[in-house]
Amino acid sequence: MSARELQAVIGLEVHAQLLTASKIFCGCETSFGAPPNTHLCPVCSGQPGVLPVLNARAVEHALRLALALGCRIRRRSRFARKNYFYPDLPKGYQISQYDEPLAEGGAVELVLEGEPRRVALTRIHLEEDAGKSLHEGARNLSRIDLNRAGVPLVEIVSEPVIESPAEAAETMRALRAILRCLGICDGNLEQGSLRCDANVSLRPRGARELGVKTEVKNINSFRFVQRALEHEIERQRSLYERGEVVVQETRLWDAERGHTAPMRSKEEAHDYRYFPEPDLPPLVIEEALLERLRGELPELPLARRLRLMRELGLPELDAAELTRERELADYFERALAAGAPARAAASFVRGELLARLDDARGALAAPVSPEALAELLALVESGRVSGKLAKEIFARMWQGGGSAEAIARAEGLFQESDAAAIEAEVRRVIEANPAQLAQYRAGKGKVLGFFIGQVMRATGGKANPALLNQLLRKHLDGDEGGGK
Amino acid sequence: MSPVDGLHRESALGLARLLAEGRTSSEEATRHCLARAERVDRELGAFLALDPEGALAAARASDARRRAGEARGPLDGVPLALKDNLVCAGLATTAGSRILEGWRPPYDATAVARLRAAGAVLLGKLNLDEFAMGSSTESSAYRVCRNPWDLARVPGGSSGGAAAAVAAELCAGALGTDTGGSIRQPASLCGVVGLKPSYGRVSRYGLIAFASSLDQIGPLARTTADCALLLEAIAGHDPRDATSLEAPAGGYLEACARGRAEGPRGLRVGVPREYFVAGIDPEVEAAVRGAIAALAAEGAELVELSLPHTRFAVAAYYLICTAEASSNLARYDGVRYGLRVSPEAAGAGGELEAMSAASRGRGFGPEVKRRIMLGTFALSAGYYDAYYARAQRARTLIRRDFEAAFARCDVIATPTSPIPAFALGEKQGDPLQMYLADIYTISCNLAGLPGISLPCGLSAGGLPIGLQLLAAPLDEPQLLRAAAAYEALSPATGLRPPLASAEGAA
Amino acid sequence: MSGGPALDLEGARRIARLARLALDEQELALFAGQLDAILRYVAQLEELSLEGIEGTSHALALECRTRPDELSGSSPREELLSRAPAQDGEHFLVPRVVGHE
């Protein structure tokens, strides 16, 4: 086959850490960054005789995701043991779900280069995380930290339907936005609370059968999703070009070297000997629970983005940015509810607010409330404060300077909207600058800016720009302009 | 005779009475048991460890409570012992395996915590087959355990230490575990009463898992009522065990009293024809048929039954239990606790893999390794459907046999073991023959039923023979009522092994 | 399930590695023979007609009970680390993992 006509087929396997206080099968903490082996008890360290008891919130979170993604939820699902030996897997098996997962089907909806796309999902299931093996340091030793062992995860498996690295990256972004919007995962790739493995294969364009796939692991940032996949596709393509074959294997993305390399594997590594977990009876999901969770579902980021575009006429870029985090969109819509005009509010939220927040999820706790922003924007709308000064007022409000009205009054930042006063200033400036007047009259329209600047300087920037513009034109263009 | 001289002969309820009446103290009873165990157990091998300090401290605390009028109930101050696969905070727990040598559990099993809460005194840990895998206690990594009726014979297993200790009157009662008969079979071979509760009746939290879907903790004692007393203390829902049942527990002592008072009149006793076939020892068959006849003579109604899938039970059981065991025992890898052996050579998988493999190769005994191998095979790619999945479906048929049977009867009566105690070493080397001897006890575990074994006679050679009764899931009251009714009729009730009577006369 | 030996020496070697058991040649040969006999015995399950029969993985029809998402405290680190064959006060130590992820 001609390598040039090869088309990539990508499937994602995403692991998302669920935001629960305690681990999935015991009462240890899940928080990140604790000293090693301090979030550990007999259960999650796999002491002889212990038993798992399922965390109800982990189930609810996984169900929220399944509902949001339109999956079919199994009313009776089952846990299974995935058996393999690894020193950071305390029991010698991982409790996961296998042939009867919590949910199947569904899709991640996204927009790629302006086109709506739907990435179909295979399944969503619950499982426990393993611990961490640390290999740096002592030469012949690995150190084991089990804090993460037993942290609840959902695994989200897509169908192999993604056609490009860009689409894969956008799928991850959309998924992350949904997880964060639902409040069930903080979506931090660097800290590992969201992890992405990808299956990659190539096939001749139009063919139905999939080529030999490789699994790419260790992709821990959004930037790398795209780069790792681009690299792997190129690697496979050049193998085909050279007439070689792709070997089915697991490859690790090495961000520093910018390539993937095969993971040293053992022939039996994939015989996981799954069987139903005897310590956990089947998980039965009651309709009443689903009903409640359905009622609690927030509007999802994409739906909200489209609504903002439709209802408010916002440009896509604004709408996308505003709905990136649920709290940011909430902030924006609360400002609107308090009377702020949509475009001005969008511009302030994207510009002034985001510039001052480390994390957009902190929007609602910002020093300037959405209602206070609405009050500021009302001053702009009524012409009492200029757009430029409004940014300055916002900065003072951020520092705790009080309401927009109070700051504008105290600092004398209200706009000069007294036509007579501005007109007097306009006359004075024109008279003082006959040369520029002559240039203007000779057709150099740009000189208008000079006059605006002069009047603004004279009024301390407070002249209402629209009024000033109108008066200047009147005097520059009109007969009486010269005062003669 | 002052109570002290015969304290070891007392049942748990008997001791409770003496304690309540102030005729003995818990410390006195405990010292008596400990001293006797020190003496007798050198030869018997029932205990893996005694805990004199812990036991005496608990006994003194119990006596202080009683003096203060705060005794907690009939078990307060009564000395008991635990099979060594039950986790006891601070007390070395080995499960009979080298791989756990020296491991001190950081927590208490729920059943153990409940015994402590009831005020019971825990004397120590009892011998067992390694990880409860066996029917003779010969796979214990630590010491030989003998049958008090004949020291050249096995006590049965895997709760052989518990059955031997109770029979030899080293303690009034003990907790054992039963995965395929491990309480009932040694009870039968040692002439005591052993009760396996319904699956989920007693929390498995802190029971070192062998086969999680089959394991249950239960009591061994010299009387049915003592078993009921112990079950009252340990039964009931435990939020730490997702498979423990929420149905209310209790009423067990009452059921025994009713059985004793009313006898078996009106009881429908099922007799499955598949349990009286080739392979059964004629003396065992005669004793069990005699027991059934005695029940009928006192007014029980006999119901001829068929449990047609019985002959598949051994096959299904050994695939399921070994598959679960292969996974349950994966945690013994030399990383977090237990034995670590440095490998001689790193091998293909590197030094880490070699370390775990060497630790497991050295730490596990042959029976455990054999079962891990069988279970790993039954779950492995390409074989799962033919072995494990098929066994799970056969299990469904066996369960349905019992559902149909219990529509027609209240309890089912069978032999517990096809043969009385066999000689030490006699069946080593042929695992399949050893497995086949579990034929009468494993169906009960596959179906999750409660079952009990109680003495129904002695062989010509003076070896105990046990009658097994089975009831529908959660029907422990019916089971205990029938058992207590039969106990009053049994020719074997009150018989003591030579070891105990010799000591007792001393 | 029928036919030649269900488990030969090579099969036993593969299973031993999967089960992470270091067995010597004698043990391997012994187990291969014994397991083969057991597997031939359990082959009688083939006689059963299991069409449409669901497997039983829990003896009693139970539903999974959940627990509320509450912290119940962790063990002091020393308590669990002190039970390990090798540790450095903070971590469990093992021979270096080869081909780690």
Side-chain angles (χ1 to χ4, degrees):
Chain A
M1 73 188 148
S2 160
R4 212 166 300 122
E5 295 160 20
L6 290 175
Q7 174 193 28
V9 183
I10 301 165
L12 294 180
E13 244 176 58
V14 180
H15 288 89
Q17 178 181 330
L18 295 172
L19 280 174
T20 55
S22 64
K23 291 185 177 181
I24 185 166
F25 297 125
C26 69
C28 283
E29 265 183 70
T30 55
S31 56
F32 181 82
N37 293 307
T38 52
H39 291 170
L40 211 55
C41 72
V43 175
C44 57
S45 66
Q47 300 290 316
V50 297
L51 295 170
V53 186
L54 182 61
N55 183 332
R57 197 187 309 269
V59 177
E60 290 188 5
H61 279 356
L63 288 172
R64 286 187 172 96
L65 181 64
L67 288 170
L69 297 175
C71 306
R72 294 184 304 278
I73 291 165
R74 267 185 195 266
R75 291 317 178 77
R76 202 178 168 82
S77 71
R78 205 184 276 279
F79 287 89
R81 291 188 185 176
K82 179 181 182 177
N83 295 284
Y84 65 97
F85 286 94
Y86 206 74
D88 62 21
L89 188 68
K91 299 185 294 297
Y93 57 84
Q94 177 194 31
I95 302 178
S96 180
Q97 296 192 293
Y98 184 54
D99 51 2
E100 297 172 59
L102 186 68
E104 287 156 297
V108 179
E109 315 250 356
L110 52 97
V111 175
L112 186 68
E113 290 160 6
E115 293 294 315
R117 296 276 304 167
R118 196 173 173 281
V119 173
L121 299 178
T122 313
R123 57 188 280 151
I124 292 179
H125 73 245
L126 275 165
E127 62 184 28
E128 60 178 336
D129 206 347
K132 251 179 109 156
S133 303
L134 308 155
H135 310 294
E136 69 280 7
R139 211 161 43 81
N140 357 326
L141 291 174
S142 292
R143 293 174 296 149
I144 310 295
D145 174 10
L146 297 177
N147 279 350
R148 226 175 54 186
V151 162
L153 302 176
V154 271
E155 180 173 325
I156 305 144
V157 182
S158 88
E159 294 282 307
V161 293
I162 298 170
E163 293 174 359
S164 69
E167 186 179 2
E170 196 50 40
T171 305
M172 281 301 288
R173 277 192 205 97
L175 204 47
R176 177 175 183 268
I178 291 166
L179 288 163
R180 286 169 70 130
C181 171
L182 294 171
I184 62 174
C185 172
D186 67 13
N188 189 325
L189 270 79
E190 285 76 15
Q191 288 181 1
S193 63
L194 187 61
R195 277 169 258 162
C196 173
D197 301 335
N199 292 307
V200 183
S201 64
L202 299 184
R203 68 177 167 197
R205 192 164 295 279
R208 302 193 94 191
E209 210 155 298
L210 295 173
V212 175
K213 68 177 181 188
T214 57
E215 189 182 5
V216 184
K217 285 180 177 270
N218 201 33
I219 310 175
N220 55 11
S221 86
F222 283 100
R223 203 154 43 97
F224 294 154
V225 172
Q226 189 147 350
R227 277 181 49 198
L229 293 176
E230 279 166 357
H231 171 273
E232 179 57 18
I233 288 166
E234 217 30 66
R235 191 189 68 84
Q236 290 190 16
R237 194 186 299 278
S238 63
L239 281 176
Y240 284 122
E241 278 168 1
R242 294 199 303 269
E244 294 172 32
V245 291
V246 172
V247 181
Q248 179 158 356
E249 62 185 356
T250 299
R251 301 180 66 88
L252 294 185
W253 166 247
D254 182 334
E256 268 171 46
R257 298 205 180 117
H259 71 180
T260 64
M263 201 173 92
R264 266 186 269 180
S265 61
K266 301 164 204 123
E267 67 271 26
E268 80 281 12
H270 293 299
D271 195 348
Y272 290 129
R273 290 160 287 138
Y274 282 99
F275 73 102
E277 165 58 283
D279 289 333
L280 294 169
L283 176 62
V284 175
I285 305 297
E286 305 288 350
E287 180 56 37
L289 173 62
L290 289 181
E291 207 48 55
R292 170 167 75 75
L293 295 176
R294 241 181 243 123
E296 290 171 8
L297 275 190
E299 187 181 17
L300 294 180
L302 183 61
R304 200 168 192 179
R305 185 202 310 187
L306 297 175
R307 178 173 60 78
L308 293 184
M309 290 164 66
R310 195 175 61 241
E311 288 180 357
L312 305 171
L314 288 185
E316 172 159 12
L317 215 59
D318 278 354
E321 181 72 13
L322 289 172
T323 52
R324 189 164 57 85
E325 299 291 356
R326 178 181 173 180
E327 292 80 359
L328 193 66
D330 286 347
Y331 184 101
F332 172 72
E333 296 212 71
R334 257 174 63 185
L336 295 196
R343 280 179 183 257
S347 149
F348 255 78
V349 169
R350 285 195 61 195
E352 303 309 306
L353 179 68
L354 274 182
R356 290 174 171 82
L357 287 176
D358 294 332
D359 184 340
R361 284 175 298 174
L364 293 170
V368 179
S369 71
E371 290 73 22
L373 173 65
E375 188 197 323
L376 172 61
L377 294 178
L379 294 180
V380 177
E381 182 83 346
S382 67
R384 295 178 64 205
V385 164
S386 73
K388 186 152 169 280
L389 282 177
K391 291 182 182 175
E392 208 168 297
I393 294 171
F394 187 90
R396 310 247 169 146
M397 290 165 75
W398 194 270
Q399 287 152 11
S403 73
E405 177 90 29
I407 292 171
R409 176 159 305 126
E411 310 267 331
L413 298 177
F414 279 124
Q415 213 157 234
E416 187 56 81
S417 292
D418 176 348
I422 295 175
E423 194 155 18
E425 206 53 50
V426 165
R427 281 181 210 274
R428 199 188 59 73
V429 167
I430 292 177
E431 275 170 24
N433 296 287
Q436 281 76 4
L437 178 64
Q439 284 176 8
Y440 181 84
R441 296 230 162 127
K444 264 187 115 175
K446 276 206 265 178
V447 183
L448 179 65
F450 166 79
F451 286 106
I452 292 174
Q454 290 298 309
V455 177
M456 276 298 186
R457 186 185 300 173
T459 59
K462 285 183 283 181
N464 181 324
L467 195 54
L468 169 59
N469 209 301
Q470 182 200 334
L471 290 170
L472 260 175
R473 282 181 187 282
K474 185 175 114 192
H475 287 276
L476 290 169
D477 298 343
D479 293 333
E480 75 275 42
K484 291 172 194 162
Chain B
M1 180 175 82
S2 86
V4 184
D5 297 327
L7 273 180
H8 56 278
R9 299 185 59 175
E10 292 292 340
S11 66
L13 281 165
L15 273 176
R17 204 172 308 115
L18 292 177
L19 287 166
E21 291 166 0
R23 296 173 62 200
T24 187
S25 67
S26 176
E27 183 171 355
E28 186 176 46
T30 301
R31 282 190 189 283
H32 182 80
C33 287
L34 287 168
R36 190 175 150 78
E38 288 285 355
R39 210 162 54 236
V40 174
D41 202 46
R42 247 172 267 140
E43 196 174 19
L44 188 64
F47 277 94
L48 289 180
L50 285 166
D51 179 27
E53 296 87 55
L56 286 169
R60 284 190 285 264
S62 168
D63 290 333
R65 278 196 297 275
R66 198 172 293 280
R67 280 195 300 276
E70 290 162 4
R72 288 174 183 167
L75 278 178
D76 202 339
V78 173
L80 303 170
L82 304 167
K83 186 177 181 180
D84 198 30
N85 59 350
L86 297 172
V87 159
C88 223
L91 214 54
T93 298
T94 66
S97 181
R98 290 285 171 203
I99 210 157
L100 268 178
E101 193 164 5
W103 178 64
R104 287 182 184 273
Y107 72 103
D108 260 346
T110 297
V112 172
R114 287 183 180 177
L115 283 188
R116 287 196 213 263
V121 172
L122 305 176
L123 296 170
K125 307 301 290 289
L126 295 160
N127 209 347
L128 71 162
D129 280 299
E130 185 177 3
F131 283 104
M133 297 180 187
S135 318
S136 66
T137 312
E138 289 169 290
S139 77
S140 167
Y142 294 96
R143 58 190 305 213
V144 174
C145 183
R146 298 169 186 277
N147 191 314
W149 293 81
D150 178 348
L151 293 175
R153 291 177 185 270
V154 303
S158 64
S159 309
V166 169
E169 299 169 0
L170 306 186
C171 55
L175 293 189
T177 64
D178 191 316
T179 305
S182 279
I183 288 175
R184 292 158 288 153
Q185 185 260 16
S188 168
L189 268 51
C190 289
V192 300
V193 185
L195 170 63
K196 179 233 166 251
S198 307
Y199 184 77
R201 182 72 293 173
V202 178
S203 167
R204 291 182 296 115
Y205 187 74
L207 155 57
I208 296 182
F210 157 19
S212 313
S213 78
L214 303 162
D215 295 340
Q216 261 296 287
I217 298 172
L220 295 96
R222 289 189 295 275
T223 69
T224 300
D226 276 2
C227 283
L229 174 68
L230 286 173
L231 185 61
E232 298 265 5
I234 61 174
H237 179 66
D238 176 11
R240 290 178 183 277
D241 177 358
T243 63
S244 88
L245 300 169
E246 287 183 87
Y252 307 134
L253 279 166
E254 214 179 291
C256 289
R258 200 177 144 207
R260 255 192 326 272
E262 296 175 9
R265 200 167 317 283
L267 195 70
R268 295 176 302 162
V269 177
V271 183
R273 73 175 69 96
E274 290 82 2
Y275 281 61
F276 297 89
V277 290
I280 186 170
D281 180 285
E283 285 189 292
V284 170
E285 176 163 9
V288 172
R289 287 208 185 274
I292 292 167
L295 284 167
E298 291 298 314
E301 177 196 335
L302 300 189
V303 182
E304 288 288 324
L305 282 182
S306 172
L307 297 167
H309 296 97
T310 300
R311 72 187 177 95
F312 299 102
V314 170
Y317 172 81
Y318 275 95
L319 289 170
I320 291 168
C321 79
T322 57
E324 293 183 8
S326 72
S327 174
N328 282 331
L329 270 58
R331 69 188 60 196
Y332 308 102
D333 59 359
V335 175
R336 281 149 290 111
Y337 44 74
L339 183 72
R340 174 183 291 193
V341 173
S342 298
E344 286 162 24
E351 203 190 335
L352 172 72
E353 182 182 328
M355 179 279 285
S356 284
S359 303
R360 294 163 61 78
R362 184 93 54 86
F364 293 136
E367 182 59 29
V368 172
K369 287 191 270 197
R370 186 155 42 237
R371 293 199 192 194
I372 290 176
M373 291 282 286
L374 179 57
T376 302
F377 178 77
L379 290 175
S380 66
Y383 298 99
Y384 180 90
D385 288 332
Y387 292 102
Y388 184 76
R390 201 186 293 262
Q392 292 279 59
R393 294 160 86 193
R395 183 176 184 180
T396 303
L397 297 178
I398 290 163
R399 207 162 44 95
R400 287 183 188 169
D401 282 355
F402 282 106
E403 279 169 18
F406 285 117
R408 298 176 53 213
C409 65
D410 303 313
V411 293
I412 291 174
T414 79
T416 307
S417 165
I419 48 170
F422 48 91
L424 282 159
E426 184 184 330
K427 286 184 189 280
Q428 293 285 68
D430 190 350
L432 183 56
Q433 284 314 307
M434 188 87 102
Y435 299 169
L436 290 173
D438 297 341
I439 175 70
Y440 299 138
T441 48
I442 54 190
S443 295
C444 163
N445 300 76
L446 289 169
L449 314 176
I452 194 167
S453 176
L454 67 168
C456 68
L458 285 185
S459 71
L463 296 172
I465 295 168
L467 168 75
Q468 174 177 248
L469 298 173
L470 304 173
L474 285 178
D475 210 353
E476 278 85 0
Q478 185 72 273
L479 183 73
L480 285 162
R481 186 190 145 203
Y486 174 69
E487 192 175 38
L489 308 173
S490 172
T493 297
L495 294 181
R496 301 172 67 207
L499 184 84
S501 31
E503 259 288 320
Chain C
M1 274 168 96
S2 39
L7 190 67
D8 59 15
L9 197 60
E10 268 326 293
R13 208 184 301 282
R14 183 178 63 82
I15 295 299
R17 177 131 191 242
L18 196 51
R20 201 149 288 191
L21 286 173
L23 302 179
D24 59 32
E25 290 302 308
Q26 217 178 338
E27 276 178 303
L28 270 176
L30 178 70
F31 289 161
Q34 290 174 335
L35 295 190
D36 189 58
I38 294 165
L39 291 171
R40 282 169 191 281
Y41 172 78
V42 303
Q44 64 175 290
L45 292 179
E46 283 177 272
E47 294 168 34
L48 287 169
S49 149
L50 294 168
E51 193 65 29
I53 306 288
E54 259 204 65
T56 294
S57 48
H58 294 90
L60 302 183
L62 299 161
E63 282 184 21
C64 193
R65 300 290 306 178
T66 54
R67 43 171 269 272
D69 180 26
E70 286 162 8
L71 299 178
S72 58
S74 298
S75 308
R77 178 160 69 186
E78 175 56 20
E79 184 171 293
L80 295 176
L81 279 184
S82 65
R83 289 168 165 78
Q87 46 111 354
D88 65 3
E90 292 188 327
H91 300 92
F92 300 93
L93 299 180
V94 295
R96 192 174 179 84
V97 178
V98 180
H100 60 79
E101 290 185 25

